[in-house]
Amino acid sequence: MSYDSKIQIHQSQVIIPQHKMPHLLVEQSLKLEGTAKLFGAKNATLVIIISLLLTKGKSTLFNVPALEDTFSIIQLMNHLGVHTEFDIDQNILEVDTTFVQNAQIPFEIMNKCRASFLVMGALLARFNKAEVGLPGGCVIGERPIDYHIKNFEKMGVVFNEEKDILSGSVKELKHRNLLLEYPSVGATENLVLAAVLTEGTTKIINAALEPEVFDFIQVLKKMGAHITIEAPATLCVTGVKELKAIEYSIMYDRLEAGALLLAGAITGGYIDIPQAPAHSMGLFLTKLQEMGHTILIGKNGTGVKIKASKRTHPVTIKTAPYPSFPTDLQAPMTAALVLTQGTSKIQETVFENRLMHIKELIKMGAQAEIENSVAIIRGVQELYGTTVIASDIRASCALVLAGLAAQGTTIVTGIHHWKRGYQNLEKKLQQLGARIDLYE
Ligand code: EPZ
């Protein structure tokens, strides 16, 4: 077992160089126990805030997670003249879209969060025009927007790009049958935003069916939109004249729930999450059971308890659009599989480069290799704390989970990802018995 050369092993303790850069310091913390609450789902929140641009008035959103991506979208809304008040202690966001100016949105604002590009559909619907800094890719993949662009063009939008600014304009959006070649979450949401005020019925065929997309659709219907679904995955959006301001409570975050359940699994603990939306976590919970853990689901599909098993079994996982195994739980699940006896396989099919946490887990003593987007993981008995780097939101979660199980101390850097995706998750883990601290 080769150890990281920078770290000296002295009997039972690992000396970690004091880190100047912001980091999470995680000590081995076994048998986490207790009850945890959830915040609202980040991947519903961001698009729902943007959808308020379709209304003229004061809306109130409850259960809004106070995390960096939320602040980035709020900044974007403020840039458009939208007045917001965010009570981060109560997770209540008030949004007044009475006055919205269709300002050009610079790259610096657009680039903070991928979901910013959803403003394109909303501004086209409200103003028939939008000018945005082109969203960049990120480490998990190039994150193209071709599905968005080609289908907006089918609705009559003309785009041009000059000095990294993408401008879209249209005399009047036209209802169309739009076929998505892949059930892209963002493309589905962007096209729905463009269609809800467009005369006639726009069909989005092969639409994304993620729970967060349906929470967004619930909000639009509450505003007065006409949206129905035709089997197997066609959204039918019949345009209305206007949409009204609303009050709405965002759905609980199945991805935060997954992270907490895996904290129980990897430390051999017992975790109760009464608000967990078990009905939208099906395959993930099934895989935890296949690994040998006891999973109890509350009445009417809300609430999950995990009692971790010492004797665990390997599993095979393939990520794909909902209701398949969610790509956003792939990295956290990988951390748990690293300590699961036997050989497990995880195939990432949604993003082209979302296995980078594997090399960091190998630094901690994991045995794994990657063959064409399939991670082959041979379970080990122990992991060892060291310094690791998070490459995206969900990788940061995987490395924290591994640190909870690893002997000694783990330093997780790249914590801006952690703060983008989770609100004070380290505090929730502390309340469950974890020794974890955030150093900014
Ligand atoms: C959303 O991203 C989520 N983000 C992601 O969560 C999530 O992983 C992803 O959906 C898949 O479920 C938010 O909701 C804010 P996609 P999105 O369009 O919309 C390709 C997290 O950690 N594609 O469904 O960007 C794309 O490259 C984040 O919370 C095109 O090729 O995902 C990817 O390979 C990460 N052309 C695949 O489709 C396009 O025009 C799925 O992307 C659009 C997408």
Side-chain angles (χ1 to χ4, degrees):
M1 178 79 56
S2 68
Y3 294 112
D4 184 315
S5 55
K6 288 195 291 300
I7 307 289
Q8 303 83 32
I9 306 284
H10 294 274
Q11 276 82 31
S12 63
Q13 67 158 356
V14 174
I15 298 174
I16 298 259
Q18 278 315 313
H19 257 267
K20 302 279 177 291
M21 59 204 298
H23 62 278
L24 281 155
L25 189 146
V26 189
E27 308 273 0
Q28 187 178 47
S29 314
L30 300 179
K31 292 192 183 329
L32 296 193
E33 286 215 11
T35 299
K37 288 189 158 194
L38 299 175
F39 288 116
K42 168 181 86 77
N43 291 349
T45 298
L46 307 181
V47 64
I48 287 170
I49 294 173
I50 289 176
S51 73
L52 297 174
L53 288 169
L54 299 171
T55 68
K56 290 189 178 81
K58 290 184 184 171
S59 296
T60 303
L61 298 176
F62 301 93
N63 208 23
V64 175
L67 39 78
E68 289 306 316
D69 275 5
T70 304
F71 296 123
S72 301
I73 296 296
I74 289 173
Q75 184 193 16
L76 185 157
M77 298 290 276
N78 296 156
H79 180 81
L80 295 170
V82 175
H83 182 69
T84 56
E85 303 223 349
F86 192 12
D87 178 340
I88 57 175
D89 296 327
Q90 300 295 321
N91 297 95
I92 298 173
L93 176 64
E94 294 182 349
V95 180
D96 185 347
T97 51
T98 310
F99 304 103
V100 176
Q101 65 199 27
N102 191 12
Q104 183 181 99
I105 307 169
F107 173 80
E108 303 71 56
I109 293 181
M110 290 296 291
N111 195 43
K112 286 190 173 176
C113 163
R114 300 268 329 147
S116 308
F117 191 61
L118 297 170
V119 78
M120 177 61 75
L123 293 177
L124 287 170
R126 183 160 178 163
F127 299 109
N128 291 346
K129 185 173 171 10
E131 290 188 350
V132 300
L134 263 179
C138 69
V139 285
I140 63 176
E142 193 212 329
R143 308 298 291 274
I145 52 172
D146 52 324
Y147 304 157
H148 303 239
I149 299 299
K150 350 196 212 198
N151 285 292
F152 280 138
E153 286 172 336
K154 282 188 188 148
M155 294 180 80
V157 182
V158 175
F159 287 101
N160 66 58
E161 191 188 320
E162 230 171 279
K163 299 195 197 71
D164 278 350
I165 292 289
L166 178 70
S167 307
S169 63
V170 61
K171 196 163 166 309
E172 189 188 8
L173 285 165
K174 299 278 180 249
H175 63 85
R176 287 287 182 273
N177 288 352
L178 306 170
L179 172 59
L180 284 177
E181 56 197 273
Y182 183 90
S184 153
V185 169
T188 300
E189 293 168 342
N190 230 340
L191 295 169
V192 169
L193 285 166
V196 283
L197 295 174
T198 298
E199 194 185 339
T201 297
T202 300
K203 292 196 173 191
I204 299 162
I205 303 153
N206 193 25
L209 302 174
E210 269 66 8
E212 295 78 11
V213 173
F214 279 95
D215 211 34
F216 156 65
I217 288 173
Q218 280 304 100
V219 167
L220 293 175
K221 290 170 84 167
K222 194 167 184 185
M223 290 174 179
H226 288 182
I227 304 174
T228 58
I229 180 163
E230 278 173 4
T234 294
L235 292 175
C236 304
V237 184
T238 302
V240 293
K241 283 269 170 279
E242 63 174 9
L243 294 170
K244 61 185 189 329
I246 44 101
E247 291 197 353
Y248 191 79
S249 188
I250 310 267
M251 66 177 274
Y252 287 112
D253 196 340
R254 62 185 172 124
L255 303 176
E256 185 187 23
L260 289 160
L261 290 168
L262 284 164
I266 203 166
T267 62
Y270 175 80
I271 308 275
D272 179 7
I273 309 180
Q275 299 160 327
H279 53 282
S280 66
M281 302 175 73
L283 201 48
F284 169 71
L285 298 175
T286 302
K287 289 297 174 183
L288 285 175
Q289 287 169 321
E290 282 180 20
M291 287 167 71
H293 302 301
T294 302
I295 298 291
L296 300 172
I297 292 175
K299 287 195 298 300
N300 60 43
T302 300
V304 180
K305 288 178 186 164
I306 184 169
K307 186 168 178 2
S309 158
K310 282 191 185 45
R311 288 193 51 68
T312 49
H313 317 292
V315 294
T316 298
I317 286 169
K318 180 176 178 181
T319 69
Y322 190 84
S324 293
F325 193 96
T327 176
D328 295 332
L329 284 172
Q330 179 262 107
M333 176 60 102
T334 306
L337 291 176
V338 157
L339 286 163
T340 296
Q341 288 108 355
T343 300
S344 296
K345 285 186 184 167
I346 283 207
Q347 182 177 5
E348 172 58 54
T349 72
V350 177
F351 289 102
E352 65 266 31
N353 190 24
R354 204 176 195 182
L355 293 169
M356 284 166 297
H357 47 285
I358 302 271
K359 71 179 179 334
E360 300 303 306
L361 292 169
I362 290 171
K363 279 189 203 169
M364 299 176 73
Q367 304 233 335
E369 64 241 355
I370 298 172
E371 282 165 22
N372 326 315
S373 84
V374 177
I376 296 153
I377 299 155
R378 280 182 302 286
V380 294
Q381 296 290 326
E382 289 292 350
L383 290 176
Y384 302 91
T386 184
T387 298
V388 286
I389 306 166
S391 47
D392 75 279
I393 294 172
R394 310 305 169 180
S396 72
C397 178
L399 297 173
V400 164
L401 293 175
L404 294 173
Q407 277 191 22
T409 305
T410 302
I411 299 265
V412 181
T413 59
I415 56 159
H416 55 290
H417 294 300
W418 173 264
K419 292 172 66 184
R420 281 190 50 214
Y422 304 102
Q423 178 181 347
N424 301 336
L425 184 55
E426 69 281 353
K427 291 196 171 66
K428 286 186 185 170
L429 291 169
Q430 284 167 358
Q431 283 151 14
L432 295 168
R435 290 181 295 156
I436 177 171
D437 285 296
L438 177 66
Y439 293 92
E440 311 248 15

